Amino acid sequence: MALYEEQELKIYNSLSGEKETFKPITDGYVGMYVCGPTVYSNVHLGNCRTFISFDLVFRYLKHLGYKVRYVRNITDAGHLENDAETGEDRIAKKARLEEIEPMEVVQKYTVDFHTILQKFNNLPPSIEPTATGHIVEQIEIIKEIIDNGFAYEANGSVYFDVLKYNESNHYGILSGRKLEDMIANTRELTAQDDKKNPQDFALWKKAEPQHIMRWPSPWSIGFPGWHLECTVMSSKYLGNAFDIHGGGMDLKFPHHECEIAQGQAANGKNPVNYWMHANMLTLNGKKMAKSTGNNILPADLISGDNDILSKPFSPSVARFFMLQANYRSILDFSDEALTAAEKGFQRLMNAIALLPKLKVSANSSFNVKEWKQNCYDAMNDDFNSPILIAQLFEAVKQINAINAEKATITKSDLEILKETLKVFTFDVLGLEATAVLENNQDTDRLKNIVELLIDLRNNARDNKDYATSDKIRDELAKNGITLKDGKEGTQFSL
């Protein structure tokens, strides 16, 4: 019997606004689509949180025994500035600014995206399709939507007819918006003369002469609309109706709303059963933004090369910190919060390292089987990672008590404890046991050694012996110990 037959998983469905018991369309199989990045810049921490959240979902579904096909796209065309219907393509604009080809931009930032997610120990998706690799399919689905009466061509562009669609469907079903209110609040914008209504959105845009990325179509030389690519790629690899669609909260409207409309218009089916949305990440209580300087890139977090945090933090600590909040809640990133998470992470790792040393007894003072089910109950409640982590720390408390001979455990219960901690810490949460120290004595010993090396390095720098100071820094880095020089001296992190 597969684990999923024993455990009742509930998922918060953005479509209904309620937690629903998860029942896949095909027993034992799950189709999951998550909106991937538009690859025109370095991936930021907010994106990382979203992808870590859905990596958690992917990992737990796989652990339950489902065969999961996880599709996450790469947007490499059609996404205009400010998510608008007019303006430059984000990738083409970056190519113009850097004086390189658009596909060089795509390659550069796709590599960055993969590198960063690998550092955070994210599993790769089953399929990672690109928008430019599916231009033909996008043209074909536009033809179907036109034939079904829900789109129209105007001066070489094709637009989705929202009012026509709303006659027999509900445009706004996901976001809870009413079309009448949208119409009432619409301001007439320039460059919308071709549209019948301001709410209509582009399926295909005729390229202006200066537009770099362009393809032939029955209507014009142009490019597909941003919303269309996800409809095409999700339906191609998962079918016209599939189980789970995820993405950031900011995509709920208009992107995901448009996906539902396109799917219904093309295939006559509601495309997704469970819509999941991850919430945003703030920094020191404010929205992350490059323009205000309230921003930090993942690579700078890891290296410590930033003016926001007091020291570098390992990717596993950052991942642990993010998973301490439910994926649907806003999470604030700060130096204090990360430092606290680092201490908690080390406590967990130290306790796991103690497991082989624990003595077994004739009876257990700790109900391990009940605790194990509590771990499952946490994850079954809409992937509630903070409650799971609280359960892991209950185990930490028990391990420390057993080690101090203030509690007891049988051999069979110890095996269950070991296996369950391994499964939920490493397989489900995706944490990595980097720099695991077996006890506090070892921690103190290592700190003393590193601080001694820092003193030697400082003396070398004072004597302008930069070769020696660089060698100490580089050798420590090779062993996973990062130094950061600041106003208050040199700090280090494992």
Side-chain angles (χ1 to χ4, degrees), residues 406-425:
K406 295 179 180 178
T408 58
I409 192 166
T410 64
K411 184 178 180 181
S412 60
D413 279 353
L414 180 58
E415 290 307 310
I416 294 170
L417 179 61
K418 285 179 180 176
E419 178 59 22
T420 306
L421 271 172
K422 172 189 168 294
V423 162
F424 284 103
T425 303

Side-chain angles (χ1 to χ4, degrees), residues 163-312:
L163 290 182
K164 178 68 176 175
Y165 172 79
N166 206 56
E167 290 174 5
S168 53
N169 298 277
H170 178 194
Y171 183 75
I173 190 171
L174 180 64
S175 59
R177 303 185 185 206
K178 292 182 179 178
L179 185 56
E180 309 86 74
D181 295 337
M182 289 187 243
I183 293 170
N185 294 327
T186 299
R187 293 178 299 160
E188 286 299 326
L189 302 176
T190 58
Q192 287 193 336
D193 297 340
D194 292 339
K195 294 184 183 183
K196 290 181 181 179
N197 300 285
Q199 286 71 35
D200 296 349
F201 56 89
L203 300 176
W204 186 265
K205 288 286 288 181
K206 180 180 179 180
E208 298 297 325
Q210 70 274 17
H211 199 96
I212 305 172
M213 304 176 80
R214 52 177 63 214
W215 293 267
S217 80
W219 312 286
S220 65
I221 302 293
F223 55 93
W226 170 41
H227 311 305
L228 190 67
E229 61 172 283
C230 289
T231 293
V232 164
M233 288 185 277
S234 61
S235 61
K236 176 170 181 175
Y237 298 109
L238 299 174
N240 293 335
F242 57 95
D243 299 302
I244 298 171
H245 193 313
M249 195 75 76
D250 57 321
L251 297 178
K252 186 183 286 189
F253 186 89
H255 187 56
H256 291 161
E257 197 76 71
C258 293
E259 281 191 60
I260 292 175
Q262 290 166 163
Q264 287 275 19
N267 309 307
K269 290 183 178 180
N270 176 28
V272 180
N273 284 353
Y274 302 86
W275 284 90
M276 298 179 66
H277 291 93
N279 217 323
M280 66 188 292
L281 191 68
T282 56
L283 181 59
N284 294 323
K286 298 176 183 177
K287 184 178 178 180
M288 286 195 187
K290 291 179 184 177
S291 57
T292 62
N294 194 51
N295 184 62
I296 181 172
L297 291 174
D300 298 335
L301 161 79
I302 297 163
S303 69
D305 186 18
N306 63 83
D307 298 323
I308 295 172
L309 303 176
S310 62
K311 64 176 187 174

Side-chain angles (χ1 to χ4, degrees), residues 427-441:
D427 299 346
V428 174
L429 292 179
L431 302 177
E432 290 185 289
T434 50
V436 176
L437 302 174
E438 293 187 357
N439 53 53
N440 290 331
Q441 187 179 16

Side-chain angles (χ1 to χ4, degrees), residues 291-350:
S291 57
T292 62
N294 194 51
N295 184 62
I296 181 172
L297 291 174
D300 298 335
L301 161 79
I302 297 163
S303 69
D305 186 18
N306 63 83
D307 298 323
I308 295 172
L309 303 176
S310 62
K311 64 176 187 174
F313 290 94
S314 75
S316 228
V317 166
R319 182 184 177 101
F320 180 67
F321 165 71
M322 291 186 197
L323 293 174
Q324 284 182 308
N326 184 272
Y327 74 93
R328 289 190 288 117
S329 63
I330 293 173
L331 176 62
D332 188 53
F333 213 77
S334 70
D335 189 67
E336 294 77 13
L338 274 167
T339 301
E342 186 176 54
K343 290 176 182 176
F345 175 79
Q346 196 60 56
R347 276 180 57 218
L348 176 59
M349 294 300 149
N350 287 343

Side-chain angles (χ1 to χ4, degrees), residues 450 452-478 481-485 490:
V450 174
L452 174 62
L453 289 169
I454 288 173
D455 286 342
L456 292 173
R457 179 172 174 264
N458 288 339
N459 288 336
R461 293 169 77 189
D462 290 342
N463 294 325
K464 297 185 179 180
D465 182 3
Y466 300 117
T468 300
S469 69
D470 289 348
K471 184 175 177 58
I472 292 171
R473 181 199 62 207
D474 295 343
E475 288 300 319
L476 286 172
K478 285 180 186 177
I481 300 168
T482 307
L483 302 183
K484 181 182 180 182
D485 298 314
T490 302

